[in-house]
């Protein structure tokens, strides 16, 4: 077996220690004679796994007791529908900060479903290279929540602050954040948010699991006419088991949380590693003649580093040689082209060092 | 490692050969240096897995070319909402045959969402012990589809025929079937159905994956105001990749399909094994003084065998001793009590033999 360095934007690299433990336990979980995949979600064994997973996440993120944690299906994209259906059932509009493709999808889905919506700010004029400033936000008078995407996976644009939202009457507007691609990359003050959600397949676990953290006061206002699996309140009351949850993905998320706690030492330590990884890759890009990244310095994503070669005819050679050098999945998203190196938690610093060395070598030979 | 016999109703036993292969490939899929969990769903490697999985399923079930195969999330319970939202968008009513808890959930969700609905037949008067006969079905004049549950997992009631549905004007009504707990247990004539769907966690793979097989003429009639992840047409056009699918569960389903083809020899061979397993367990129950099953002979489920002890005070001792004998998860569903042995494809005949031997021994000692 030879593990390679995997810079995939998602489904993304998982910690090797997590995969090794999953492998070890795959046919026989702790001597019980069956796989976690084969357990009833209501069995004592699985309920213990589920509860430990939630407890570890609560500890890592410091989630206050007035928040519920849900382990759901459908990805962030299903949340694009569930959020307005839960939060706009009694009127009001969703306010959206637009900083790229994912934020636009969230807005488009609310529109599709017929909900009132308002663009509170957009970075479109800058080509989504700079996050709008706090004082540029225009919150509508009927705002029921403010939604933003803390890290745009495709554009490589990350918020360097947590927006504050108040209506003109002074009322606080709950903040809703899609953190799919940067959750758990560093510490977070959950109390600033109404809802945090994230698809698992970047920093949490395998695809097919979605994390939702929702403040208690936002539960219970969904109209009774939405699909029963969409109602946060019902999901919370059932411990995310209105129906059978994705048990194996939930278990793997638990292994990732344990790895973050025990192997990494928590989110501050993770943050320091992530900053170092991103800093050195951006420094290498900035110092080169061949590679470039267009994002404003303060908003460069620590998780997704898109870059282009100044001669796009070299792209295929770059990707082919990188792959041969054991550096996988560096191709940029099909909608933007170029390259993208995703540096999620599970991508080790050695991978970034190897990428930087390869990039320098490639530039010397081909640039 | 000691594997035990697992009679769980779901998430259920998986073939040991499948788990062993998954274990072997967990950190390094075919020398690519990464896990299937870590692959982009749009990578060549994963697309090949996805396509092979669909091809194998099409071959196993003989799925005609005018049907689409979807690999989704949310379980059968999300289909309870998606079905009427896709098929009743232009009016008409959902007709439902009621044979137990799961069929009732499907009806209740259509009601909740405000769709017209009609009970075409019910086995409630018999305590859900006998499937309604074909000539008892009353199809409404506005029927847009007829829905039934081919096997009620909790009640242990299985259809012994495929219903035919015609409106009084002679028009054929598409048949929609929840096959969560008996799909792939034997051969099937897919051309009799408009939509077949199934949660994976019984005969397909791990929880978190849902299979939908839908006839082409039923696509494209969903109103544009339903969640974009609910529209069968969009999902079909995107090859089930409107957003990131549950890739690892999809891969495991593929391993199960390969096992059915190569190790078992196809669905006729599987059918013969399943019939033998069920027949011998029911024969043992019928021959005993202690155990009983209330279901009409023709409708006894081959997949889920509920039974009660004639003295319920023995239940705990039965479960405890069974567990100690390596026979796991025999407790009946919390809504009905008693016992239930689920005999899905992955439960080997030796497991049934061991259960029967234990039951006889227990009866002799404690009955």
């Amino acid at each position: 077996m030879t593990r390679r360095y995997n810079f995939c934007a998602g489904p993304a690299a998982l910690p090797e220690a997590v995969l090794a433990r999953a492998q070890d336990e795959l046919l026989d979980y702790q001597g019980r004679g069956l796989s976690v995949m084969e357990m009833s979600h209501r069995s004592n064994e699985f309920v213990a796994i589920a509860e430990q997973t939630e407890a570890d996440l609560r500890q890592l993120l410091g989630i206050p007791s007035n928040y519920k944690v849900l382990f759901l299906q459908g990805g962030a994209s299903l949340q694009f529908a569930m959020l307005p259906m839960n939060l706009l059932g009694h009127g009001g509009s969703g306010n959206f900060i637009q900083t790229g493709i994912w934020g636009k999808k969230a807005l488009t889905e609310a529109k599709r479903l017929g909900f009132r919506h308002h663009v509170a700010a957009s970075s479109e004029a800058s080509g989504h290279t700079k996050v709008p400033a706090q004082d540029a936000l225009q919150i509508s008078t009927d705002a029921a929540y403010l939604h933003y995407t803390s890290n745009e996976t495709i554009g490589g644009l990350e918020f360097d602050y947590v927006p504050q939202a108040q209506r003109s009457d002074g009322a606080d507007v709950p903040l809703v954040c899609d953190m799919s691609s940067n959750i758990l990359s560093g510490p977070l003050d959950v109390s600033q948010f109404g809802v945090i959600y994230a698809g698992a397949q970047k920093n949490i676990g395998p695809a097919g699991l979605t994390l939702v953290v929702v403040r208690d006061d936002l539960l219970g206002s969904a109209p009774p006419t939405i699909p029963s699996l969409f109602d946060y309140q019902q999901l919370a009351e059932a411990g995310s088991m209105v129906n059978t949850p994705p048990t194996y993905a939930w278990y793997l998320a638990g292994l990732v949380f344990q790895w973050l706690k025990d192997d990494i030492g928590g989110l501050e330590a993770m943050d320091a590693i992530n900053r170092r990884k991103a800093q050195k890759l951006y420094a290498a890009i900035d110092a080169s003649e061949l590679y470039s990244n267009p994002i404003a310095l303060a908003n460069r994503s620590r998780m997704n580093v898109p870059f282009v070669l100044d001669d796009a005819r070299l792209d295929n050679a770059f990707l082919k040689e990188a792959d041969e050098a054991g550096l996988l999945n560096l191709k940029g998203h099909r909608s933007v082209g170029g390259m993208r190196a995703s540096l999620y938690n599970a991508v080790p610093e050695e991978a970034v060092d190897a990428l930087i060395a390869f990039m320098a070598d490639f530039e010397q030979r081909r640039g």
Side-chain angles (χ1 to χ4, degrees), chain A residues 287-338:
Chain A
S288 90
E289 303 286 316
L290 181 60
Y291 312 108
S292 63
N293 168 288
I295 306 298
L297 293 185
N299 301 134
R300 283 175 159 184
S301 169
R302 293 161 303 143
M303 296 287 106
N304 310 100
V305 182
F307 58 94
V308 293
L309 279 61
D310 78 350
D311 181 354
R313 289 171 302 183
L314 291 173
D315 284 2
N316 285 339
F318 181 93
L319 288 167
K320 182 169 177 291
E321 293 181 25
D323 193 278
E324 288 164 2
L327 306 167
L328 305 183
N329 298 315
L330 286 162
K331 192 172 182 178
H333 190 267
R334 64 198 189 289
S335 65
V336 296

Side-chain angles (χ1 to χ4, degrees), chain A residues 22-221:
Chain A
Q23 183 179 46
D24 187 49
E25 296 181 337
L26 192 68
L27 276 83
D28 184 9
Y29 178 74
Q30 301 190 353
R32 280 300 289 162
L34 77 179
S35 175
V36 173
M37 288 183 215
E38 302 175 298
M39 290 177 184
S40 169
H41 52 297
R42 302 196 190 278
S43 65
N44 294 338
E45 290 89 348
F46 187 75
V47 168
I49 290 169
E51 289 178 351
Q52 187 63 48
T53 298
E54 178 175 336
D56 287 341
L57 181 70
R58 284 185 175 274
Q59 186 189 333
L60 278 165
L61 284 174
I63 299 175
S65 60
N66 62 323
Y67 286 74
K68 295 291 187 294
V69 177
L70 308 178
F71 293 87
L72 307 179
Q73 299 185 53
S77 295
L78 201 64
Q79 293 307 310
F80 298 163
M82 284 174 68
L83 278 163
M85 289 174 109
N86 274 273
L87 302 184
L88 300 180
H90 298 289
S93 80
N95 278 221
F96 293 85
I97 305 177
Q98 298 288 280
T99 52
I101 289 170
W102 290 104
K104 186 170 183 180
K105 282 179 187 262
L107 170 63
T108 302
E109 187 74 5
K111 274 190 202 177
R112 173 185 167 95
L113 297 173
F115 290 104
R116 290 213 302 275
H117 48 85
H118 167 78
V119 175
S122 172
S123 57
E124 195 167 1
S126 74
H128 295 311
T129 58
K130 188 168 169 28
V131 161
Q134 171 69 49
D135 61 12
L137 303 185
Q138 300 192 306
I139 307 300
S140 69
T141 54
D142 67 346
Y145 62 85
L146 175 65
H147 179 281
Y148 78 111
T149 312
S150 54
N151 183 66
E152 281 283 354
T153 321
I154 295 172
L157 187 70
E158 187 168 12
F159 272 75
D160 57 337
Y161 71 100
V162 173
Q164 306 295 316
Q166 283 195 329
R167 290 197 305 245
S168 52
D169 62 6
D172 278 330
V173 173
L175 196 58
V176 174
C177 187
D178 177 356
M179 293 193 189
S180 292
S181 53
N182 68 349
I183 194 166
L184 293 168
S185 63
L188 187 67
D189 179 2
V190 172
S191 72
Q192 293 180 282
F193 296 87
V195 182
I196 291 167
Y197 67 100
Q201 65 270 18
K202 286 98 160 63
N203 267 344
I204 296 174
L209 178 71
T210 315
L211 180 70
V212 177
V213 180
V214 54
R215 207 172 59 208
D216 282 346
D217 62 290
L218 297 174
L219 297 171
S221 58

